[in-house]
Amino acid sequence: MKSRIRYDAGMSKTGFYTHSDCLRHDMGRGHPECPERLSAIRDRLLASGVDQGVVEFIAPLADTDDLLLAHTPRLIETVYELNQEVQDDISRGGRGLAHIDPDTALNGHSLSAALRCVGAALSATDAVLAGELDNAFCAVRPPGHHATRSRSMGFCIFNTLAIAVRHALERHGLKRVAVIDFDVHHGNGTEDILANDERVLMCSTFQHPFYPYCGTEDVPANMVNVPVPAYTAGSEIRQLMARHWFPALEAFQPEMIFISAGFDAHREDDLGQLGMTEADYRWITEQLMDLARRHAQGRIVSCLEGGYNLSALARSVEAHVRALSGL
Ligand SMILES: [Zn+2]
């Protein structure tokens, strides 16, 4: 994707981070978290012309020190050991697929893909904090928000977003960071990693009761969790966000906003039963940009999480990136 961008008034300088390794992570035929998700997004951005409004970057690899910002050494060892088993199996002519849980597996490219996800989010954070970009979207997979400090699960290997948040706090010295998660599933991993960190306010909506079946009891003080019953319309979800998220975010005055951008709450996505549409994703993005402009010098880094209906995913990402770039 080549940018031939002209910056008109009202446009943002938006980074688009991805890597071809993220297309090679493949958990087997029929798995909804499939490489075609990223191809569909790229096609849609090209067809709609939204690619003209972003600057593309190739994601670097993260390293172990980056992973340790949010994960235990044991989790990292487990993933690297599993990757070694996969590589050994491939060299013996095997299929090279090892499961972490029934839904989550590594192939020969998964570790690289997961490290590119983290590298994307960290580079995007650095560029936004340096003022080189206004905001950024990381079109990466595997997703991350179910990975806890000590456990990969639910299609997720490392918690990309939580690592980037910790990077902003620990290495850039930010004092207040907001995390937004509008994926249909509760971001239990991000909650686990960032719970009770007073420098973080996390606001989320998620279908409940639903996988991973948590987020409603013993909610940490820095979390604004808004569980939503199945078949709730996008307009109702907007009202819940306006009532629960935005007053808390205004009071918190974040210096930067991170978005766990899952699009599986779309009404056409069969993995969940919520009623979001592209217009709702555009609305949320614009609300967050308005908040970021007032408190956070416009600084937003958004990372792809879920979204499994390829057409709905691609249209929703287009709406999100179109809003981020001010096109
Ligand atoms: Zn999800």
Side-chain angles (χ1 to χ4, degrees), residues 250-265:
E250 285 294 343
F252 186 67
Q253 301 188 353
E255 297 168 294
M256 184 161 180
I257 298 175
F258 287 87
I259 305 177
S260 257
F263 298 95
D264 43 8

Side-chain angles (χ1 to χ4, degrees), residues 30-300:
H31 198 297
E33 206 290 277
C34 60
E36 290 76 12
R37 299 176 63 229
L38 293 188
S39 315
I41 289 169
R42 181 174 289 272
D43 280 356
R44 183 76 196 183
L45 295 185
L46 286 167
S48 63
V50 171
D51 67 306
Q52 303 293 306
V54 301
V55 186
E56 182 166 342
F57 296 91
I58 297 169
L61 287 167
D63 62 28
T64 306
D65 282 344
D66 300 323
L67 305 179
L68 284 167
L69 287 167
H71 292 297
T72 60
R74 184 77 201 106
L75 176 143
I76 299 164
E77 281 166 26
T78 301
V79 172
Y80 275 75
E81 284 167 12
L82 212 53
N83 174 62
Q84 192 56 53
E85 286 175 28
V86 168
Q87 303 300 345
D88 291 346
D89 186 47
I90 291 168
S91 64
R92 290 191 301 265
R95 182 166 171 242
L97 195 70
H99 277 81
I100 292 172
D101 72 16
D103 299 326
T104 315
L106 300 188
N107 76 349
H109 302 285
S110 301
L111 177 58
S112 297
L115 292 173
R116 296 286 180 191
C117 294
V118 177
L122 297 188
S123 288
T125 301
D126 290 341
V128 168
L129 283 171
E132 295 160 8
L133 296 172
D134 293 309
N135 54 45
F137 178 71
C138 301
V140 292
R141 56 180 289 279
H145 74 152
H146 294 308
T148 71
R149 255 172 305 176
S150 57
R151 187 174 165 216
S152 306
M153 60 179 278
F155 310 171
C156 303
I157 299 172
F158 304 128
N159 196 316
T160 299
L161 195 100
I163 294 168
V165 168
R166 277 276 160 80
H167 174 77
L169 295 169
E170 307 295 341
R171 294 173 175 164
H172 286 283
L174 294 195
K175 301 205 166 41
R176 293 180 312 282
V177 168
V179 174
I180 303 295
D181 188 331
F182 51 71
D183 191 278
V184 79
H185 303 98
H186 175 50
N188 61 301
T190 314
E191 177 174 300
D192 174 66
I193 292 162
L194 301 176
N196 299 314
D197 186 333
E198 291 176 353
R199 300 168 297 178
V200 178
L201 175 71
M202 178 170 172
C203 296
S204 66
T205 47
F206 51 90
Q207 184 174 324
H208 178 80
F210 200 45
Y211 182 89
Y213 303 100
C214 57
T216 55
E217 283 168 35
D218 302 323
V219 177
N222 63 329
M223 304 280 150
V224 179
N225 290 1
V226 183
V228 178
Y231 307 109
T232 302
S235 58
E236 294 172 74
I237 296 171
R238 287 194 202 191
Q239 286 175 17
L240 289 168
M241 289 169 171
R243 192 181 315 147
H244 297 285
W245 285 9
F246 293 116
L249 288 163
E250 285 294 343
F252 186 67
Q253 301 188 353
E255 297 168 294
M256 184 161 180
I257 298 175
F258 287 87
I259 305 177
S260 257
F263 298 95
D264 43 8
H266 195 284
R267 66 182 177 191
E268 292 168 35
D269 197 305
D270 292 335
L271 252 76
Q273 287 84 39
L274 294 185
M276 298 284 282
T277 64
E278 298 90 296
D280 296 315
Y281 291 119
R282 180 166 187 113
W283 179 84
I284 298 171
T285 311
E286 288 173 345
Q287 297 296 311
L288 293 172
M289 288 181 68
D290 185 45
L291 187 91
R293 250 180 244 119
R294 280 181 287 111
H295 297 296
Q297 300 172 47
R299 299 187 290 213
I300 296 177

